[in-house]
Amino acid sequence: MTHAPTHHPPRSSKMSPPPPSERPGYFGRFGGQFVPEALFGAIEELADAWADASADEAFTDELDRLRRHYGGRPTALYLAERLSEEAGIATWLKREDLAHTGSHKLNNVVGQALLAKRMGKPRIIAETGAGQHGVATATAAALFGQECTVYMGAEDCRRQRLNVVRMQLLGAEVVPVESGTRTLKDAINEAFRDWVSNVDTTHYLIGSAMGPHPFPTMVRTLQSVISLESRAQFAEQVEETTGVAGALPDAVIACVGGGSNAIGSFADYIDHPEVALIGIEAAGHGVGSGHSAATITEGREAVLHGARQIALVDDDGQVQPAHSVSAGLDYPGVGPEHAHLADTGRGTYLSATDDDALLGFRRTSELEGIIPALEPAHAVGWLLRHGHEVLDDDARVVLTMSGRGDKDVDEVVRVAGWDVGVDLDEADKVVD
Amino acid sequence: MADEPIRIVTEDLRDAIADGEVAPSAVDETDDIPPERVVDPADVAAERPDGAGRVAHAFAAARAQDRAALVIYLPAGFPDHDTSRACLAAAAEAGADVLEVGFPFSDPVMDGPIIQAANQQVLERGVTVADHLAMCTVLTDEVDVPALVMTYVTIADAHGYGRFADELAAAGIAGTILPDLPVDESGPWDDVAAGAGLASVLMASSVSSDRRLDAIAGSSTGFIYATGLLGVTGVKSVARRASEDLVDRLRTRTDTPIAVGVGVKDAQDARAVAGFADGVIVGSEVVAVVADGAPAGAPDRVAALVAELRRGVEQG
């Protein structure tokens, strides 16, 4: 075949969008909307609906009412004296583990499910790693009478069987995802595929401050209740004991997977540079071991799940499997605002290994009578082992206890090899 | 790229001449080319056209035969390096007008189970983009239809847009389709691709707003990929009415060819779509026949299906 000259239509109306930093949905150079064209109708509709709802007092009043009367907010801020003594650093725990469904996830979910109802979408879908977001979504779907499908990696279904049962009890369909690495990132892929296919009737209720705009901003706003409360509570408690008004903590510490509890914990402090923002990523077997989920520590700038962010991507462009003992942190990316906070130096991102997390899990239980989820156990483990590398002796810190640990008990016993006097295999046989 | 006359004398040399650093005669002696000679882009296109030109030509050639063009997708490296090349070549031989070579990605959100499984198999064998490029270099030498690469933006990003575009062009590739790089974000890649002589095919959807279709029609080069349904590849069947409406909306905006893909499963679908679109794209069904039997017979199975699809587009 010869290549004859052909007619080239003029590239007439080529759009020249402004640079990323000036566009909505961008945090510096991170963020954006990297999704198939078929989803643009839905994300534009969502952005409009969210802007409209945020400005509507009836919507925000209803959300506030649900948070208080249904969700159990505000959650306590508690000076954990024995843990503080062990850490050598005064530590307040922001008790998201006390919120309904046992984690911070409901903050986001109730807002988005209420928005889906307002948009007339009868069906919600979600991804879940540890199952906490799936349980929260199934809870909201039950509350609002919505149809609900939750995608969960097959490997995570095994690790978090209790949460699978909870979601089923709440009326949700749980779909085990067998593709890819069979964990959270693959569950997200499957949820995107569902959304592309059913966009007319379905809202994709993303569980973290990630994904295409407007999700990172919307989830941050909904989760910012954590820091709005903790800031007021901290000031009040300090004033009660010292008489000094308006005190701020020296640091706010939260675990980071996709980053929703962390961004909510940081949000109201970002404009107060005297407050250090410390995100603790899960380093699995250790940074550099090849079995880690410490995305900011080890990753590179890349597009994943709809946004330019930092992700564990190899030189060829393939997303690498993350590893963490905690299914909720086992994600090879991080939300775009965290990428920006890390990039600008406003946030400090460090990591804790599986072993650090197991220490945090055990010591929080033993010293405070609080069984933490494995996710915030990373933050506690880091504080106990490495806190002094960053914080002064007289530092006062707020650490977000993002969830409770009932779901993790079997996995912790299995991984740590603790002899609890009851053989798990035998117990399973009896149940079967 | 082809919009402007191509100058043989480089800008640097031209500046040097203007500054009096180099005498025009010296240029004549060394390069044996008059400094003012400007080449007509049409002449260049005839010898070494850019990717968009080659793709547009393939569509024009099909239209001259009063039929839609047939675009066939297969993943690189599936089920192995040589078989994938043989299958793509067999598709071209059996009547494909344009080839789409998939570069497998670990998180392909636009793809359904058939293509996902094929991609996964390739990735698990540790095959890399360099291997795919080597395959494409041989393939584009042995077939006379343009080949595009379909992959995800993370792959282009990790290699660096400039390097990736240059490597594709060097492998004889005519352009790219990056389904997760929508028009608002595609500018930087579109510019780099155009600089390397690659077409950048953008996707349009029935749910795209008028504003977005304006932008897509203005930016997509080679052709416009109109998605035939709301969904991922290889699951549902093409939504005929919605696709036809989308093609009509695009037609009022551009004379760039419009091909419909996602959901075209058989010759009957191909015939129907060929009735209103300039091109018909088939992927998952072709991948399925590659997977359905021994690798040795895969090229023949592909050829048989493509010949059938070609009869479909000829009847459309």
Side-chain angles (χ1 to χ4, degrees):
Chain A
M1 183 185 285
T2 60
H3 299 289
T6 50
H7 170 65
H8 288 263
R11 296 180 54 161
S12 52
S13 56
K14 181 166 167 55
M15 292 201 327
S16 311
S21 55
E22 293 166 26
R23 292 162 59 188
Y26 268 91
F27 306 90
R29 65 179 186 278
F30 301 99
Q33 296 178 310
F34 294 83
V35 293
E37 183 63 25
L39 288 178
F40 269 90
I43 60 178
E44 284 177 350
E45 179 191 9
L46 181 63
D48 289 348
W50 170 246
D52 187 60
S54 311
D56 179 354
E57 216 168 286
F59 179 85
T60 53
D61 285 353
E62 173 70 354
L63 183 57
D64 188 61
R65 188 186 69 80
L66 285 165
R67 279 177 166 172
R68 289 172 189 280
H69 300 173
Y70 183 72
R73 301 209 72 88
T75 58
L77 182 76
Y78 159 70
L79 174 59
E81 290 185 4
R82 299 187 69 205
L83 194 66
S84 297
E85 196 180 330
E86 177 145 323
I89 293 165
T91 305
W92 280 256
L93 300 178
K94 178 58 177 163
R95 299 290 308 278
E96 294 299 295
D97 58 310
L98 294 176
H100 182 42
T101 74
S103 82
H104 70 291
K105 291 293 186 185
L106 199 74
N107 299 333
N108 168 43
V109 161
V110 167
Q112 284 199 52
L114 198 59
L115 189 64
K117 186 178 157 195
R118 185 184 169 97
M119 291 164 72
K121 306 237 172 178
R123 177 171 180 263
I124 55 182
I125 58 172
E127 83 293 341
T128 197
Q132 294 301 84
H133 175 57
V135 167
T137 304
T139 298
L143 179 65
F144 296 124
Q146 292 157 325
E147 191 189 334
C148 179
T149 299
V150 178
Y151 292 95
M152 186 168 185
E155 170 64 13
D156 293 336
C157 288
R158 183 196 66 74
R159 288 195 282 192
Q160 306 286 347
R161 200 177 69 162
L162 173 68
N163 277 342
V164 174
V165 176
R166 290 170 79 196
M167 287 184 271
Q168 288 170 341
L169 278 171
L170 292 160
E173 177 197 18
V174 181
V175 180
V177 175
E178 298 282 356
S179 60
T181 55
R182 306 160 88 230
T183 60
L184 179 56
K185 82 176 176 71
D186 308 287
I188 294 170
N189 293 339
E190 212 50 45
F192 268 113
R193 292 182 188 112
D194 182 317
W195 202 25
V196 170
S197 308
N198 302 294
V199 68
D200 292 343
T201 59
T202 299
H203 173 63
Y204 177 16
L205 208 162
I206 290 185
S208 195
M210 48 154 284
H213 175 67
F215 285 106
T217 304
M218 184 168 68
V219 175
R220 188 266 309 264
T221 304
L222 290 167
Q223 290 293 1
S224 64
V225 67
I226 300 172
S227 53
L228 288 166
E229 287 177 6
S230 77
R231 199 179 138 198
Q233 290 166 324
F234 182 84
E236 187 187 323
Q237 291 180 22
V238 170
E239 188 171 359
E240 275 172 18
T241 51
T242 67
V244 179
L248 288 167
D250 297 296
V252 177
I253 304 171
C255 60
V256 180
S260 74
N261 99 76
I263 206 69
S265 301
F266 294 170
D268 204 41
Y269 299 101
I270 288 175
D271 292 336
H272 295 271
E274 64 272 38
V275 182
L277 308 176
I278 301 174
I280 303 299
E281 300 191 302
H285 297 173
V287 170
S289 68
H291 298 275
S292 164
T295 307
I296 292 175
T297 309
E298 299 192 66
R300 67 200 290 168
E301 192 176 326
V303 171
L304 179 62
H305 294 142
R308 182 171 292 280
Q309 51 173 283
I310 296 175
L312 299 175
V313 169
D314 70 13
D315 289 344
D316 221 29
Q318 307 297 348
V319 180
Q320 296 304 291
H323 168 87
S324 169
V325 67
S326 140
L329 302 181
D330 201 348
Y331 178 61
V334 70
E337 191 169 4
H338 285 297
H340 179 60
L341 291 173
D343 193 46
T344 57
R346 177 65 189 93
T348 302
Y349 293 85
L350 302 163
S351 63
T353 62
D354 287 352
D355 191 60
D356 296 336
L358 291 172
L359 174 78
F361 187 85
R362 190 160 200 163
R363 294 308 283 160
T364 311
S365 303
E366 290 166 348
L367 295 170
E368 296 294 344
I370 296 168
I371 300 175
L374 272 173
E375 291 79 19
H378 283 74
V380 176
W382 173 84
L383 184 72
L384 292 175
R385 284 202 172 136
H386 304 287
H388 274 297
E389 296 163 16
V390 175
L391 299 161
D392 296 334
D393 282 350
D394 60 353
R396 297 180 297 191
V397 306
V398 170
L399 186 153
T400 300
M401 184 51 56
S402 58
R404 70 174 186 234
D406 314 40
K407 68 185 176 63
D408 293 314
V409 169
D410 283 350
E411 184 69 0
V412 165
V413 168
R414 191 183 73 81
V415 171
W418 292 338
D419 181 3
V420 294
V422 180
D423 189 320
L424 192 61
D425 291 341
E426 290 302 319
D428 269 355
K429 276 178 201 159
V430 174
V431 173
D432 290 345
Chain B
M1 177 177 182
D3 291 347
E4 288 182 25
I6 294 167
R7 297 173 197 284
I8 298 296
V9 177
T10 67
E11 291 297 325
D12 286 349
L13 191 51
R14 187 174 292 280
D15 291 347
I17 293 167
D19 296 341
E21 292 167 15
V22 179
S25 61
V27 177
D28 279 340
E29 280 168 22
T30 48
D31 293 359
D32 201 27
I33 294 167
E36 290 309 313
R37 182 177 153 198
V38 172
V39 176
D40 185 319
D43 291 343
V44 173
E47 288 168 31
R48 195 177 57 80
D50 72 358
R54 283 153 61 200
V55 174
H57 175 79
F59 277 83
R63 192 182 302 169
Q65 295 174 8
D66 199 26
R67 64 175 176 85
L70 180 61
V71 183
I72 295 293
Y73 167 94
L74 278 171
F78 180 73
D80 58 67
H81 186 88
D82 290 337
T83 306
S84 76
R85 195 187 73 236
C87 287
L88 283 155
E93 179 71 22
D97 299 289
V98 176
L99 299 175
E100 257 183 47
V101 185
F103 281 14
F105 174 53
S106 52
D107 295 80
V109 294
M110 193 60 204
D111 286 309
I114 296 170
I115 294 176
Q116 274 180 56
N119 280 358
Q120 189 71 20
Q121 193 255 55
V122 175
L123 291 171
E124 279 168 8
R125 293 203 334 272
V127 184
T128 65
V129 167
D131 299 318
H132 304 323
L133 288 166
M135 189 275 283
C136 288
T137 303
V138 178
L139 174 74
T140 55
D141 234 22
E142 67 186 5
V143 300
D144 59 4
V145 301
L148 303 166
V149 161
M150 178 156 180
T151 190
Y152 288 80
V153 68
T154 313
I155 301 279
D157 219 9
H159 287 250
Y161 279 1
R163 183 184 137 204
F164 191 59
D166 288 345
E167 287 176 346
L168 291 178
I173 291 299
T176 59
I177 305 169
L178 302 171
D180 58 346
L181 191 64
V183 68
D184 291 326
E185 308 284 2
S186 71
W189 169 254
D190 291 344
D191 292 344
V192 168
L198 298 172
S200 177
V201 174
L202 299 181
M203 292 182 125
S205 163
S206 57
V207 296
S208 301
S209 63
D210 286 340
R211 179 192 76 80
R212 297 189 64 82
L213 287 191
D214 286 345
I216 292 161
S219 293
S220 191
T221 53
F223 67 93
I224 298 171
Y225 193 131
T227 47
L229 53 80
L230 290 176
V232 295
T233 58
V235 180
K236 296 192 285 192
S237 285
V238 64
R240 215 164 287 176
R241 172 61 66 81
S243 309
E244 193 165 355
D245 288 349
L246 174 59
V247 170
D248 287 345
R249 290 172 69 205
L250 286 164
R251 285 236 191 274
T252 63
R253 293 172 158 85
T254 180
D255 52 4
T256 302
I258 302 156
V260 171
V262 185
V264 182
K265 286 179 180 290
D266 53 27
Q268 200 183 336
D269 286 345
R271 189 170 68 218
V273 170
F276 58 85
D278 303 315
V280 179
I281 307 165
V282 187
S284 294
E285 296 306 312
V286 193
V287 179
V289 303
V290 172
D292 185 25
D300 287 344
R301 296 194 295 273
V302 169
L305 175 60
V306 171
E308 203 181 301
L309 294 166
R310 172 64 182 258
R311 283 193 290 279
V313 299
E314 285 171 357
Q315 290 161 7

